[in-house]
Amino acid sequence: MTRTQTDHHLLPTYARFPVAFERGSGTRLWDDEGHEYLDFLSGISVSSVGHCHPQVVEAIRDQAGRLLHVGNLYYTEPMTRLADRLAESSLGGGVFFTNSGAEANEAALKLVRKARQGGDIVVAHGGFHGRTYGALSATPQEAKQAPFAPLVPGFRAVEPTADAIAGAVGAGTAAVVLEVIQGESGVHILDDEVLGAARAACDAHGAALVFDEVQTGMGRTGTLWAYEQTGVVPDAITTAKALGGGLPIGALVTGERLADVFAPGDHGSTFPGGPVVAAAALAVFDVLDDEELLARVRELGEHARARLAELPGVTVVRGRGLMNAFDLAGGSAPDIARRALLEQRLVVNATGPATIRLLPPLIVTREELDDAVDRLGALLS
Ligand SMILES: *Cc1c(COP(=O)(O)O)cnc(C)c1O
């Protein structure tokens, strides 16, 4: 790896590792020196079907040769089929397509404000919703927000507990926006009791409950949507990351109650839901919306958590399905993630000083899971 290290034309928003990847297939990546890596990050839960899944690549190739773009003043078949598939697999209302998770959340924030003609938005400490201004304002982390003040007004951050959320919701609340499992802050599961309290408080005051499923969606937790395992049904979800199989696409999906809030002219964007990304996403649905695969995600997740708990230095293991993290005593997680990449050729990520997160492709095998745990074990012992 030489060229990327000396490329000074990227703004330094990421502390990149000195590795340049060239090729991927399934759970494997290869760098420009020919080294093979086992990918347990999936580009942060994007490549859930694995790298270059043949059905996704074929769908992209086929659509790219027919039509790349017409914009949102017209219909295309991939767009309408994907909207149907998203709505019918979840809340049954309407879909607004975006290019990213942050933009899907922007759409959700505008929607809930319009529905309530204003109002506060209650969010949780530890939550992450993206880097654009609305999404950033919904992400109560000092380090991410402070340099960019003033933020969008009307956000209220509380601890993700039943009492705190119930206490924050009132007549002036437009929505509560939550991740069912907080991904970026280290895979923290919100208890069903907390989600149920949010649901009840929203119902009592006419506010909307929005779940950000950008990271948890598309099968990551062992059901197509993470909310399916919680007993709580939100009024809208947002999705992105794994939806396009590696191409950029996101979506806001509403239930019936919020399906008529937006009128022509209220919101828009040039690219979203284009035929190529929509064709890719339909192929992703064919792979991931599969009960056998989802059952295996749940089963492999249990196996992974049991094995991770036995590693030396591991104090806590958290997760659901194949969205998992473990804590290490001391602040060594960033160093372990770096050495996993450079010494063990295992791609994982540290979400903080003490936490390693594992987000393998959902097509991972039990042998590959064991292999990854063994590589981590070699570093930790
Ligand atoms: C990644 C993420 C986002 C932001 O998505 P982008 O595509 O990076 O804008 C929002 N919410 C959650 C829960 C995420 O994990």
Side-chain angles (χ1 to χ4, degrees):
M1 222 306 299
T2 49
R3 214 164 357 121
T4 308
Q5 265 172 332
T6 58
D7 183 350
H8 292 292
H9 291 290
L10 290 166
L11 289 176
T13 53
Y14 285 91
R16 289 187 168 82
F17 295 100
V19 174
F21 288 115
E22 263 186 10
R23 194 160 62 83
S25 177
T27 56
R28 309 285 158 162
L29 284 166
W30 287 267
D31 70 17
D32 60 356
E33 292 170 351
H35 299 118
E36 182 182 307
Y37 297 74
L38 187 53
D39 185 3
F40 266 52
L41 186 56
S42 309
I44 312 189
S45 200
V46 168
S47 307
S48 290
V49 292
H51 294 281
C52 299
H53 191 288
Q55 276 169 257
V56 176
V57 171
E58 184 52 36
I60 293 167
R61 283 212 172 102
D62 181 56
Q63 184 57 49
R66 278 190 288 158
L67 183 67
L68 293 176
H69 178 80
V70 288
N72 278 305
L73 298 176
Y74 313 96
Y75 296 99
T76 67
E77 203 220 297
M79 167 202 280
T80 51
R81 275 180 54 212
L82 180 60
D84 289 348
R85 193 124 193 210
L86 278 163
E88 283 161 17
S89 72
S90 62
L91 303 174
V95 173
F96 180 86
F97 286 116
T98 69
N99 305 297
S100 68
E103 288 169 274
N105 287 329
E106 296 293 336
L109 296 172
K110 286 181 71 174
L111 183 91
V112 298
R113 280 257 169 90
K114 188 182 180 210
R116 209 68 210 278
Q117 290 156 2
D120 284 346
I121 292 161
V122 175
V123 296
H125 285 294
F128 178 85
H129 302 290
R131 305 300 197 127
T132 53
Y133 261 104
L136 177 65
S137 304
T139 300
Q141 294 179 45
E142 181 71 13
K144 290 186 172 69
Q145 289 186 336
F148 307 103
L151 300 173
V152 178
F155 287 85
R156 184 152 174 210
V158 298
E159 287 305 315
T161 64
D163 285 350
I165 292 171
V169 177
T173 307
V176 176
V177 179
L178 299 170
E179 294 166 86
V180 172
I181 303 175
Q182 297 182 328
E184 293 307 296
S185 64
V187 187
H188 295 280
I189 299 174
L190 267 56
D191 288 342
D192 292 354
E193 182 218 343
V194 172
L195 301 174
R199 179 71 277 174
C202 287
D203 288 343
H205 296 283
L209 180 61
V210 179
F211 286 167
D212 177 343
E213 293 240 24
V214 169
Q215 190 162 150
T216 54
M218 294 305 290
R220 174 54 57 189
T221 69
T223 44
L224 192 65
W225 307 107
Y227 80 80
E228 295 174 63
Q229 292 177 67
T230 68
V232 175
V233 180
D235 299 301
I237 58 173
T238 54
T239 173
K241 290 200 162 96
L243 179 60
L247 294 192
I249 180 170
L252 161 68
V253 188
T254 78
E256 293 291 351
R257 194 167 81 72
L258 294 175
D260 300 323
V261 174
F262 277 156
D266 276 342
H267 198 37
S269 185
T270 300
F271 288 119
V276 178
V277 290
L282 284 164
V284 169
F285 255 101
D286 286 341
V287 177
L288 298 182
D289 190 8
D290 168 356
E291 195 35 58
E292 222 170 278
L293 177 138
L294 294 169
R296 223 169 42 86
V297 168
R298 297 193 293 271
E299 190 187 302
L300 288 178
E302 272 179 39
H303 174 67
R305 287 188 293 280
R307 285 230 43 214
L308 290 167
E310 289 166 2
L311 291 180
V314 170
T315 55
V316 185
V317 181
R318 291 181 297 272
R320 195 169 279 164
L322 288 173
M323 179 173 184
N324 294 296
F326 60 86
D327 286 350
L328 292 167
S332 59
D335 182 55
I336 291 294
R338 184 182 185 84
R339 288 177 56 210
L341 178 75
L342 301 177
E343 295 171 25
Q344 295 292 328
R345 310 228 184 268
L346 172 70
V347 184
V348 297
N349 140 266
T351 59
T355 304
I356 300 276
R357 175 176 51 173
L358 305 176
L359 301 165
L362 304 183
I363 51 134
V364 71
T365 64
R366 194 183 179 91
E367 291 68 35
E368 288 169 327
L369 261 176
D370 286 332
D371 183 359
V373 175
D374 291 343
R375 293 190 203 195
L376 287 165
L379 290 173
L380 293 172
S381 53

Short mmCIF file of all heavy atoms in Angstrom, two decimals, residues 14 44 99-105 127-132 135 179 181-184 212-216 238 240-241 249 323 357, ligand 1:
data_model
loop_
_atom_site.label_atom_id
_atom_site.label_comp_id
_atom_site.label_asym_id
_atom_site.label_seq_id
_atom_site.Cartn_x
_atom_site.Cartn_y
_atom_site.Cartn_z
N TYR A 14 -11.72 11.09 7.94
CA TYR A 14 -11.59 9.72 8.43
C TYR A 14 -10.13 9.42 8.75
O TYR A 14 -9.24 9.79 7.97
CB TYR A 14 -12.07 8.70 7.38
CG TYR A 14 -13.57 8.64 7.24
CD1 TYR A 14 -14.23 9.43 6.31
CD2 TYR A 14 -14.32 7.78 8.03
CE1 TYR A 14 -15.62 9.37 6.18
CE2 TYR A 14 -15.70 7.71 7.91
CZ TYR A 14 -16.34 8.51 6.98
OH TYR A 14 -17.70 8.44 6.87
N ILE A 44 -19.56 -1.36 7.27
CA ILE A 44 -20.54 -0.98 8.30
C ILE A 44 -21.96 -1.40 7.89
O ILE A 44 -22.83 -0.59 7.61
CB ILE A 44 -20.48 0.53 8.66
CG1 ILE A 44 -19.02 0.94 8.91
CG2 ILE A 44 -21.32 0.80 9.92
CD1 ILE A 44 -18.83 2.32 9.46
N ASN A 99 -30.67 8.80 -0.94
CA ASN A 99 -29.37 8.24 -1.31
C ASN A 99 -28.59 7.70 -0.12
O ASN A 99 -27.50 7.16 -0.31
CB ASN A 99 -28.50 9.31 -1.98
CG ASN A 99 -29.20 9.93 -3.15
OD1 ASN A 99 -29.50 9.26 -4.13
ND2 ASN A 99 -29.50 11.22 -3.06
N SER A 100 -29.08 7.92 1.08
CA SER A 100 -28.29 7.57 2.27
C SER A 100 -29.20 7.47 3.48
O SER A 100 -30.37 7.86 3.43
CB SER A 100 -27.23 8.65 2.53
OG SER A 100 -27.88 9.85 2.92
N GLY A 101 -28.59 7.01 4.58
CA GLY A 101 -29.33 6.92 5.83
C GLY A 101 -29.66 8.28 6.41
O GLY A 101 -30.78 8.51 6.88
N ALA A 102 -28.69 9.17 6.38
CA ALA A 102 -28.93 10.51 6.91
C ALA A 102 -30.11 11.18 6.18
O ALA A 102 -30.98 11.78 6.81
CB ALA A 102 -27.68 11.37 6.79
N GLU A 103 -30.11 11.04 4.88
CA GLU A 103 -31.21 11.66 4.10
C GLU A 103 -32.56 11.00 4.37
O GLU A 103 -33.60 11.66 4.30
CB GLU A 103 -30.91 11.57 2.61
CG GLU A 103 -29.80 12.47 2.13
CD GLU A 103 -29.41 12.10 0.71
OE1 GLU A 103 -28.57 11.19 0.56
OE2 GLU A 103 -29.98 12.66 -0.23
N ALA A 104 -32.54 9.70 4.65
CA ALA A 104 -33.80 9.03 5.01
C ALA A 104 -34.32 9.62 6.32
O ALA A 104 -35.52 9.86 6.49
CB ALA A 104 -33.58 7.53 5.13
N ASN A 105 -33.39 9.89 7.26
CA ASN A 105 -33.81 10.50 8.52
C ASN A 105 -34.26 11.94 8.33
O ASN A 105 -35.20 12.39 8.99
CB ASN A 105 -32.67 10.39 9.54
CG ASN A 105 -32.50 8.97 10.04
OD1 ASN A 105 -33.48 8.22 10.11
ND2 ASN A 105 -31.27 8.58 10.37
N GLY A 127 -27.69 7.63 20.68
CA GLY A 127 -28.23 7.41 19.34
C GLY A 127 -27.35 8.03 18.27
O GLY A 127 -26.60 8.98 18.54
N PHE A 128 -27.45 7.51 17.07
CA PHE A 128 -26.75 8.08 15.92
C PHE A 128 -27.70 8.05 14.73
O PHE A 128 -28.26 7.01 14.40
CB PHE A 128 -25.49 7.28 15.58
CG PHE A 128 -24.78 7.81 14.37
CD1 PHE A 128 -23.87 8.86 14.47
CD2 PHE A 128 -25.04 7.28 13.10
CE1 PHE A 128 -23.24 9.37 13.34
CE2 PHE A 128 -24.41 7.80 11.96
CZ PHE A 128 -23.51 8.84 12.10
N HIS A 129 -27.85 9.21 14.07
CA HIS A 129 -28.79 9.27 12.95
C HIS A 129 -28.20 9.89 11.70
O HIS A 129 -28.92 10.08 10.71
CB HIS A 129 -30.06 10.00 13.40
CG HIS A 129 -30.72 9.34 14.57
ND1 HIS A 129 -31.36 8.12 14.47
CD2 HIS A 129 -30.79 9.68 15.89
CE1 HIS A 129 -31.81 7.75 15.66
NE2 HIS A 129 -31.48 8.68 16.54
N GLY A 130 -26.91 10.25 11.71
CA GLY A 130 -26.28 10.75 10.49
C GLY A 130 -25.64 12.11 10.70
O GLY A 130 -25.69 12.69 11.79
N ARG A 131 -25.03 12.64 9.62
CA ARG A 131 -24.16 13.82 9.73
C ARG A 131 -24.72 15.08 9.09
O ARG A 131 -24.10 16.13 9.19
CB ARG A 131 -22.82 13.50 9.08
CG ARG A 131 -22.12 12.25 9.62
CD ARG A 131 -21.82 12.35 11.10
NE ARG A 131 -20.83 11.35 11.47
CZ ARG A 131 -19.69 11.61 12.12
NH1 ARG A 131 -19.43 12.83 12.51
NH2 ARG A 131 -18.86 10.66 12.40
N THR A 132 -25.83 14.98 8.37
CA THR A 132 -26.44 16.20 7.82
C THR A 132 -27.10 16.95 8.98
O THR A 132 -27.25 16.40 10.08
CB THR A 132 -27.49 15.83 6.76
OG1 THR A 132 -28.40 14.89 7.32
CG2 THR A 132 -26.81 15.21 5.53
N ALA A 135 -30.19 15.33 10.86
CA ALA A 135 -29.75 14.05 11.45
C ALA A 135 -28.72 14.28 12.54
O ALA A 135 -28.74 13.62 13.58
CB ALA A 135 -29.20 13.14 10.36
N GLU A 179 -33.16 4.27 17.67
CA GLU A 179 -32.66 3.03 17.08
C GLU A 179 -33.06 1.90 18.02
O GLU A 179 -32.83 2.00 19.23
CB GLU A 179 -31.13 3.04 17.03
CG GLU A 179 -30.49 4.04 16.11
CD GLU A 179 -28.99 4.16 16.44
OE1 GLU A 179 -28.20 3.36 15.91
OE2 GLU A 179 -28.62 5.05 17.24
N ILE A 181 -31.62 -0.90 18.20
CA ILE A 181 -30.30 -1.23 18.74
C ILE A 181 -29.35 -0.12 18.32
O ILE A 181 -29.19 0.14 17.12
CB ILE A 181 -29.78 -2.59 18.21
CG1 ILE A 181 -30.78 -3.71 18.53
CG2 ILE A 181 -28.40 -2.91 18.80
CD1 ILE A 181 -30.40 -5.06 17.94
N GLN A 182 -28.77 0.57 19.29
CA GLN A 182 -27.88 1.69 18.97
C GLN A 182 -26.56 1.14 18.44
O GLN A 182 -25.79 0.52 19.18
CB GLN A 182 -27.66 2.55 20.21
CG GLN A 182 -28.96 3.20 20.70
CD GLN A 182 -28.76 4.10 21.90
OE1 GLN A 182 -27.87 3.84 22.73
NE2 GLN A 182 -29.57 5.15 22.00
N GLY A 183 -26.32 1.36 17.16
CA GLY A 183 -25.18 0.73 16.51
C GLY A 183 -23.86 1.46 16.71
O GLY A 183 -22.89 0.89 17.21
N GLU A 184 -23.83 2.73 16.35
CA GLU A 184 -22.56 3.46 16.35
C GLU A 184 -21.99 3.64 17.75
O GLU A 184 -20.79 3.75 17.93
CB GLU A 184 -22.71 4.82 15.65
CG GLU A 184 -22.97 4.72 14.17
CD GLU A 184 -21.96 3.85 13.45
OE1 GLU A 184 -20.76 4.18 13.41
OE2 GLU A 184 -22.37 2.78 12.93
N ASP A 212 -35.16 4.26 13.53
CA ASP A 212 -34.07 4.34 12.57
C ASP A 212 -33.49 2.94 12.41
O ASP A 212 -32.75 2.46 13.28
CB ASP A 212 -33.01 5.33 13.08
CG ASP A 212 -31.80 5.44 12.17
OD1 ASP A 212 -31.60 4.55 11.32
OD2 ASP A 212 -31.04 6.42 12.33
N GLU A 213 -33.85 2.28 11.31
CA GLU A 213 -33.37 0.92 11.04
C GLU A 213 -32.29 0.93 9.96
O GLU A 213 -32.13 -0.03 9.21
CB GLU A 213 -34.54 0.02 10.64
CG GLU A 213 -35.54 -0.23 11.77
CD GLU A 213 -35.68 -1.72 12.10
OE1 GLU A 213 -34.75 -2.49 11.82
OE2 GLU A 213 -36.74 -2.08 12.64
N VAL A 214 -31.58 2.04 9.87
CA VAL A 214 -30.54 2.16 8.84
C VAL A 214 -29.49 1.05 9.00
O VAL A 214 -29.04 0.45 8.03
CB VAL A 214 -29.90 3.56 8.89
CG1 VAL A 214 -28.64 3.62 8.02
CG2 VAL A 214 -30.91 4.61 8.42
N GLN A 215 -29.12 0.76 10.26
CA GLN A 215 -28.12 -0.28 10.50
C GLN A 215 -28.76 -1.62 10.85
O GLN A 215 -28.25 -2.67 10.48
CB GLN A 215 -27.18 0.17 11.64
CG GLN A 215 -25.97 -0.71 11.82
CD GLN A 215 -24.85 -0.07 12.62
OE1 GLN A 215 -24.09 -0.74 13.29
NE2 GLN A 215 -24.71 1.25 12.55
N THR A 216 -29.89 -1.60 11.55
CA THR A 216 -30.50 -2.85 12.04
C THR A 216 -31.36 -3.53 10.98
O THR A 216 -31.68 -4.71 11.14
CB THR A 216 -31.40 -2.57 13.26
OG1 THR A 216 -32.34 -1.54 12.90
CG2 THR A 216 -30.60 -2.12 14.46
N THR A 238 -36.75 4.15 8.95
CA THR A 238 -35.82 4.55 7.91
C THR A 238 -34.84 3.40 7.69
O THR A 238 -34.52 2.66 8.62
CB THR A 238 -35.04 5.83 8.29
OG1 THR A 238 -34.42 5.63 9.57
CG2 THR A 238 -35.97 7.03 8.35
N ALA A 240 -31.32 2.08 4.99
CA ALA A 240 -30.30 2.45 3.99
C ALA A 240 -29.26 1.33 4.01
O ALA A 240 -29.61 0.18 3.76
CB ALA A 240 -29.66 3.81 4.29
N LYS A 241 -28.02 1.65 4.35
CA LYS A 241 -26.90 0.70 4.44
C LYS A 241 -27.05 -0.56 3.56
O LYS A 241 -26.64 -0.55 2.42
CB LYS A 241 -26.62 0.38 5.90
CG LYS A 241 -26.00 1.60 6.61
CD LYS A 241 -25.25 1.28 7.87
CE LYS A 241 -24.32 2.41 8.27
NZ LYS A 241 -24.85 3.33 9.26
N ILE A 249 -28.41 3.75 -1.44
CA ILE A 249 -29.86 3.98 -1.45
C ILE A 249 -30.37 3.93 -0.02
O ILE A 249 -29.87 3.15 0.79
CB ILE A 249 -30.60 2.95 -2.34
CG1 ILE A 249 -32.11 3.21 -2.33
CG2 ILE A 249 -30.28 1.51 -1.94
CD1 ILE A 249 -32.90 2.40 -3.36
N MET A 323 -25.50 -8.67 14.52
CA MET A 323 -25.09 -7.32 14.94
C MET A 323 -24.59 -7.46 16.37
O MET A 323 -25.40 -7.52 17.31
CB MET A 323 -26.27 -6.37 14.86
CG MET A 323 -25.99 -4.95 15.29
SD MET A 323 -27.42 -3.91 14.93
CE MET A 323 -26.78 -2.31 15.41
N ARG A 357 -16.88 -4.03 17.36
CA ARG A 357 -18.16 -4.39 16.75
C ARG A 357 -17.94 -5.34 15.58
O ARG A 357 -17.01 -5.15 14.79
CB ARG A 357 -18.87 -3.12 16.27
CG ARG A 357 -20.16 -3.37 15.52
CD ARG A 357 -20.88 -2.08 15.16
NE ARG A 357 -20.01 -1.13 14.50
CZ ARG A 357 -20.41 0.02 13.96
NH1 ARG A 357 -21.68 0.36 14.02
NH2 ARG A 357 -19.56 0.84 13.37
C1 LIG B 1 -25.05 4.75 9.35
C2 LIG B 1 -26.25 5.23 10.06
C3 LIG B 1 -26.91 6.41 9.66
C4 LIG B 1 -26.37 7.31 8.59
O1 LIG B 1 -26.38 6.71 7.34
P1 LIG B 1 -25.50 7.38 6.15
O2 LIG B 1 -25.84 6.53 4.97
O3 LIG B 1 -24.07 7.27 6.58
O4 LIG B 1 -25.94 8.78 6.01
C5 LIG B 1 -28.07 6.75 10.31
N1 LIG B 1 -28.59 5.99 11.29
C6 LIG B 1 -27.99 4.86 11.70
C7 LIG B 1 -28.61 4.05 12.78
C8 LIG B 1 -26.79 4.45 11.11
O5 LIG B 1 -26.18 3.34 11.54
#
